[in-house]
Structure formats: C-alpha cells, structure tokens
C-alpha cells in the first residue's frame, strides 16, 4: 500500500466537517431569532469549556461554522439581522482576537472581515477600522495586536476598495509603521499584502512607499526568516498587479520604480524556500504580462521547467501555470528553448499527467 496516498478522514472528523458545511447552508435560511439563539449557544459553549485542547477544538469548529454561515449570507445576498444580533456576533468574534492560539486569531480576524462585508454599512466599517487602529496604538499585548492587524487586512479584502477606500490612508500608514520594525512584522506585511491585492487602483498612491519598505526589508532581513520572505513576495506580486501597464511607461520615476521591482524580485527569487520561490514566480508572471521586455525568457524558462519536478505541490502548480501563460504568449520560443534530445515540453507534460493527481495542476498541464 502506497503510504503517500492520503486515506479517508476518521469518522468523527468527517461528521464534524459535514456538520460545519451543512451549518453554512442552513444559517442563512433560519430566522433572526434562531440565529441569535445559535450565536448565544456558541458563546456559552466556549465559556463552559475548560482551557484545554478540547476548548481549542470547540472554538475552531465554532468559528469555522460561523465563517461558513457568514459566507452563506453573502452568497445569498442576505443580511445578518438587527443590531442586537450584530452585537452578539461582534462580541463572539472579539473574544477570540487576543487568543494565544494563532489559528484562532486568524479565524477571528477573518470572521470580523466577513462580518463587515455582511453588515455593509459605512458606519460599522469605520467603527471597526478605528477600533483596530486605536488598539494597535494602545495595546502592548502581542496576541491582541496581531489579531487586529489581520482583521484590518481581512476587512479591506472583503469589503473592497469602494467600501473601505476612505480608510485606506490610515490603515496603510499604520501597517507600514508596524511592518518596519516591530515584533508583528509578518502579520503587518500579510495584512498589507491583502490590502494591496484588493485595493486595485485606489492603492496606487501607496505603491511608492510600500515598494521602498519592501526593498529595505529584503536587504536587511536574514534568509532564515522564511515567513517574512513569503509575505514580502506576496506583497510584491500585489504591487505589480496594481501598477499593471504603467510598468511600460518610459518616465524617470517609473524607471526608478521598475528597477526597485526588479531588485526585489531578484532577491526573492534567490531564496531557497519553495513557497518563496512560488511567490517569485507569481511576480514573474505579472512582469511578463504587463512589461514583457523586462523578462528574459531564456533565463527563467529552464528554471520553471525544473520546478515541474519539485517535491512541493505549490511550486509545481505555480511553475505549470507560469509555463502555460508563457506558452500562450510565445509558443514557438518556449518550445524551442525546451527541446532537448528529441523531446520537448509536450513530452514532460504528458508524462506528468500520468502521475499528478492535483486537479488544478493537471488543468494547467
């Protein structure tokens, strides 16, 4: 029996997962009264569970179910309910924002972003942003600070640039300050990347300062801080998407910005971690899409070809997607570059299809 093939989940875990999925479908269909009862029951379950691994499991299951319910509300374009119900949901979420467990803080930050999206009121969004910014200025607890950092990123991600654009300046300024030299650098950079990715043209005014921050951190951060490099790579990819076709403009300021982008890409691309390399490939795709003259295909295609044999699924996925993009733009050049010993890219693709099981990777192949 092949030990690399995953087996079925234990029955107890499978039942809980199915229940959570079902909760996400049922929650939007019940009345506000029953939603209030459910959320109150969740709060009581967390309160009564003694601090232990069991309590953590209960909290994670509750937040997963609540996130599924919020997503169901969004998909069905329904509102959550009255102010009392919103207040109960808010209290449930903020109770986990300072949890010592990173997974629970992530779930709480995600839930607060989703809640802001469901409520959809400018006043509520402004209240959440101001509360998080004030907490970051006054709180000394690192768990609380990281939870609110992520909530800012998730809020902008889910509410969108149009709904949160008026809060972009104060949020980005706060995150840049904390990403410069604090214990929460990784969280701040992750949140900044989420905002840059979702901000679109509204984030354009912050590209220069964010690029300067990325370059400074890449120069001064040792390679052993892999999580930092992963966040920096994702941030750079988001900034390149924001710049888009502007990368081709031949002005002095844009030339300087292009040099900064290429320098950041070169540092990230040289990192040995597979996730960081995957982020670098995403940056490469943006460069090839918006400014193909900046990319030397002869220098990157052979490395992408080798990445198809990586033991890391994420790197194989990203490399296959990138090669697919390049092959659509320059099919003959790619085919000629990879022709060797009577075999070309198509031979590798067909052989990979015999062994790859990941659907997304098979699609790109």
């Amino acid at each position: 029996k092949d030990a690399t093939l995953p087996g079925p989940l234990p029955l107890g875990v499978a039942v809980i997962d199915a229940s959570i999925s079902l909760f996400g479908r049922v929650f939007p269909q019940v009345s506000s009264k029953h939603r209030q009862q459910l959320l109150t029951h969740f709060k009581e379950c967390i309160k009564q569970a003694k601090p232990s691994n069991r309590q953590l499991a209960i909290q994670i299951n509750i937040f997963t179910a609540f996130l599924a319910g919020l997503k169901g509300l969004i998909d069905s374009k329904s509102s959550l309910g009255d102010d009392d119900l919103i207040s109960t949901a808010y209290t449930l979420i903020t109770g986990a924002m300072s949890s010592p467990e990173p997974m629970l803080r992530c779930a709480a930050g995600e839930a607060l972003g989703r809640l802001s999206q469901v409520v959809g009121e400018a006043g509520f969004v402004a209240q959440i942003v101001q509360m998080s910014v004030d907490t970051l200025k006054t709180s000394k607890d690192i768990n609380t600070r990281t939870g609110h950092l992520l909530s800012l990123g998730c809020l902008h991600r889910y509410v969108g640039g149009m709904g949160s654009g008026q809060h972009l300046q104060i949020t980005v300024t706060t995150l840049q300050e904390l990403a410069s030299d604090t214990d929460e650098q990784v969280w701040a950079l992750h949140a900044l990347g989420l905002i840059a990715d979702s901000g679109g043209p509204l984030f354009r005014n912050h590209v220069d300062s964010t690029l300067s921050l990325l370059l400074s951190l890449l120069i001064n951060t040792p390679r052993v801080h892999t999580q930092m490099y992963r966040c920096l790579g994702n941030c750079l990819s988001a900034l390149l998407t924001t710049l888009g076709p502007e990368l081709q403009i031949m002005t002095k300021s844009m030339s300087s910005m292009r040099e900064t982008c290429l320098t950041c890409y070169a540092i990230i691309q040289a990192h040995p971690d597979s996730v960081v390399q995957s982020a670098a490939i995403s940056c490469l795709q943006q460069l090839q899409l918006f400014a193909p003259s900046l990319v030397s295909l002869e220098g990157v295609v052979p490395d992408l070809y080798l990445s198809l044999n990586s033991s890391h699924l994420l790197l194989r996925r990203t490399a296959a997607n990138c090669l697919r993009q390049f092959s659509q733009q320059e099919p003959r050049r790619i085919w000629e570059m990879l022709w060797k010993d009577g075999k070309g890219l198509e031979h590798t693709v067909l052989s990979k299809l015999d062994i790859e099981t990941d659907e997304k990777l098979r699609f790109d192949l």
Side-chain angles (χ1 to χ4, degrees):
K1 186 177 180 180
D2 190 349
T4 61
L5 295 177
L9 292 171
L11 181 59
V13 176
V15 170
I16 292 174
D17 289 350
S19 300
I20 289 172
S21 179
L22 179 60
F23 181 90
R25 294 175 177 271
V26 173
F27 189 73
Q29 310 303 324
V30 301
S31 65
S32 295
K33 175 183 175 181
H34 291 132
R35 292 177 191 172
Q36 179 76 48
Q37 291 174 345
L38 285 168
L39 296 186
T40 302
H41 175 67
F42 284 163
K43 289 172 62 178
E44 287 301 316
C45 288
I46 294 173
K47 184 178 179 180
Q48 293 177 8
K50 296 180 180 180
S52 63
N53 290 336
R54 174 175 171 78
Q55 185 194 48
L56 176 61
I58 290 173
Q59 287 180 291
I60 290 174
N61 288 337
I62 285 174
F63 271 94
T64 306
F66 185 42
L67 278 168
L70 291 173
K71 189 174 184 301
L73 288 171
I74 294 163
D75 292 340
S76 62
K77 298 181 180 178
S78 305
S79 63
L80 178 60
D82 57 23
D83 291 343
D84 288 340
L85 184 52
I86 294 173
S87 177
T88 302
Y90 177 77
T91 304
L92 175 66
I93 294 169
T94 53
M97 294 288 285
S98 58
S99 170
E101 293 293 334
M103 187 181 298
L104 199 52
R105 296 201 302 276
C106 288
E110 190 90 1
L112 195 56
R114 284 290 190 185
L115 180 63
S116 302
Q117 183 184 16
V118 171
V119 175
E121 296 177 358
F124 183 79
V125 173
Q127 177 186 346
I128 298 298
V129 172
Q130 193 60 54
M131 180 268 296
S132 292
V133 171
D134 290 343
T135 301
L136 289 170
K137 290 179 179 179
T138 59
S139 176
K140 302 298 182 182
D141 180 61
I142 189 169
N143 293 331
T144 302
R145 292 168 63 84
T146 53
H148 283 278
L149 280 170
L150 182 61
S151 71
L152 283 174
C154 291
L155 182 146
H156 283 270
R157 177 188 182 188
Y158 292 123
V159 175
M162 297 300 293
S164 60
Q166 62 268 38
H167 310 294
L168 199 58
Q169 178 67 46
I170 186 173
T171 303
V172 172
T173 302
T174 302
L175 293 178
Q176 286 178 343
E177 290 176 358
L178 294 174
S180 299
D181 185 26
T182 65
D183 294 332
E184 307 94 24
Q185 279 183 303
V186 171
W187 293 77
L189 282 171
H190 178 65
L192 193 60
L194 292 176
I195 296 173
D197 192 45
S198 61
L202 294 176
F203 196 82
R204 179 62 184 86
N205 293 334
H206 306 284
V207 170
D208 289 354
S209 58
T210 306
L211 262 180
S212 299
L213 172 64
L214 295 189
L215 182 59
S216 174
L217 290 174
L218 284 167
I219 292 173
N220 295 294
T221 303
R223 282 190 173 188
V224 293
H225 297 302
T226 304
Q227 290 290 348
M228 278 281 290
Y229 274 85
R230 292 176 179 179
C231 293
L232 290 166
N234 292 332
C235 277
L236 179 61
S237 179
L239 293 181
L240 290 171
T241 303
T242 301
L243 288 171
E246 285 188 61
L247 287 166
Q248 301 183 46
I249 297 176
M250 302 305 295
T251 61
K252 185 176 181 180
S253 60
M254 186 53 65
S255 295
S256 175
M257 196 173 296
R258 278 196 300 270
E259 288 298 321
T260 303
C261 289
L262 291 173
T263 302
C264 290
Y265 163 73
I267 297 173
I268 294 169
Q269 190 270 335
H271 197 280
D273 180 71
S274 60
V275 179
V276 178
Q277 290 176 5
S278 178
I281 292 174
S282 297
C283 296
L284 180 65
Q285 286 183 271
Q286 306 305 320
L287 288 170
Q288 172 66 13
L289 180 64
F290 297 119
S293 61
L294 300 178
V295 179
S296 171
L297 291 179
E298 288 76 7
V300 298
V301 168
D303 290 336
L304 291 173
Y305 182 76
L306 292 175
S307 295
L308 292 177
N309 296 315
S310 171
S311 58
H312 299 277
L313 174 60
L314 180 61
L315 184 55
R316 296 202 306 276
R317 273 184 179 178
T318 314
N321 185 264
C322 189
L323 279 172
R324 178 168 171 257
Q325 174 185 320
F326 288 2
S327 298
Q328 290 172 334
Q329 294 175 322
E330 300 280 353
R332 186 172 185 83
R333 285 183 66 191
I334 300 299
W335 185 81
E336 290 176 348
M337 275 188 273
L338 296 178
W339 180 261
K340 185 178 180 181
D341 299 330
K343 298 178 181 179
L345 178 60
E346 67 277 10
H347 179 271
T348 300
V349 168
L350 292 173
S351 64
K352 288 294 179 186
L353 285 173
D354 290 336
I355 58 175
E356 290 289 357
T357 58
D358 182 73
E359 291 185 8
K360 185 178 185 303
L361 179 53
R362 288 176 63 86
F363 174 81
D364 286 327
L365 288 172

